[in-house]
Amino acid sequence: MNLKEIYIHNGALLEGHFILSSGNHSRNYLQSAKVLENPKVAEMLAIELAQMIKSSGIEIDTICSPALGGLLAGYELARALGIRFIFTERKDGEMQLRRGFSVQKGERVLICEDIITTGGSALEAGREIERFGGKIVGFSAIANRGFCKRIGGTFETDKTCKLPKDLPLFAIDDFTFEIYSPNNCPICAEGTPAIKPGSRGNN
Ligand code: ZN
């Protein structure tokens, strides 16, 4: 499977001048919603990811995704693994488990995102699950931006990665792009305005 081709084919690998959820700037943006809008593609990607997770041998009771970004990927992954799916969402800036969802003490939960960049939202979702007594057994995403080391990946964990080093990260492939601090961004220097695609803090 060539994940990059799938993103390009679905118009999900954007080029321009983007503000990432971290606040940094980039020439590229992965709009996973454009890939996942096709349920057949979403299903195919989830099956690929589920196979990687199954072959690792880890045992999972439940998938949890941080809304909104992780919902479709997480739901499809839960379907492919035949397990339960729940989600956390931001309320007043805090990642919370709402809507009557509950987690049993010791329940083994895998966090699933569409894309893992530094893993900030995924980690917050994990902390909320732990607050309910659940046990985080790992993290997963369709694609990894290359800041966190994934199982089978070639990139080492960058200092900006927020995920715990003792838990596995599963992703189908890595996408690595240059990112720039807004104070030192060559695209800003070219004079083009930066835009913030739909993401955290921007619906
Ligand atoms: Zn810029």
Side-chain angles (χ1 to χ4, degrees):
M1 174 183 290
N2 187 323
L3 191 64
K4 190 171 184 186
E5 272 178 19
I6 292 170
Y7 268 72
I8 291 170
H9 180 75
N10 287 281
L13 178 53
L14 309 184
E15 292 187 5
H17 185 195
F18 302 103
I19 305 172
L20 307 177
S21 61
S22 61
N24 290 320
H25 293 191
S26 172
R27 291 185 193 276
N28 295 97
Y29 186 81
L30 296 167
Q31 186 54 276
S32 296
K34 288 289 294 170
V35 167
L36 300 171
E37 74 179 2
N38 181 338
K40 283 283 171 212
V41 176
E43 179 184 37
M44 177 185 73
L45 294 172
I47 289 171
E48 175 87 7
L49 188 56
Q51 281 168 349
M52 288 179 170
I53 293 166
K54 275 188 208 158
S55 65
S56 80
I58 68 165
E59 293 191 39
I60 308 165
D61 301 308
T62 299
I63 300 293
C64 176
S65 291
L68 277 168
L71 292 181
L72 300 176
Y75 191 82
E76 285 295 332
L77 179 61
R79 189 207 303 273
L81 290 167
I83 60 179
R84 190 166 82 99
F85 173 77
I86 59 177
F87 61 88
T88 60
E89 58 198 295
R90 258 179 225 290
K91 179 149 193 303
D92 305 325
E94 298 284 317
M95 197 65 91
Q96 297 179 13
L97 196 61
R98 294 166 56 85
R99 301 175 195 264
F101 288 141
S102 63
V103 176
Q104 303 287 316
K105 191 164 167 40
E107 187 170 334
R108 297 163 298 188
V109 179
L110 181 83
I111 305 294
C112 184
E113 271 278 24
D114 53 351
I115 307 277
I116 290 280
T117 305
T118 61
S121 297
L123 185 65
E124 286 178 66
R127 292 212 170 115
E128 174 70 349
I129 294 297
E130 285 172 341
R131 201 171 68 77
F132 278 76
K135 181 181 184 337
I136 302 303
V137 294
F139 295 85
S140 61
I142 302 292
N144 179 34
R145 283 290 308 273
F147 298 96
C148 300
K149 184 176 173 58
R150 72 180 170 95
I151 300 291
T154 53
F155 295 95
E156 289 305 317
T157 294
D158 183 273
K159 65 181 186 317
T160 57
C161 178
K162 297 189 174 94
L163 299 182
K165 291 190 176 62
D166 57 338
L167 290 175
L169 168 62
F170 302 95
I172 297 170
D173 207 349
D174 297 308
F175 280 100
T176 53
F177 307 121
E178 289 279 343
I179 61 163
Y180 309 104
S181 148
N183 308 321
N184 188 22
C185 171
I187 332 165
C188 284
E190 290 163 15
T192 48
I195 62 159
K196 194 166 185 178
S199 183
R200 193 162 79 203
N202 191 40
N203 297 317

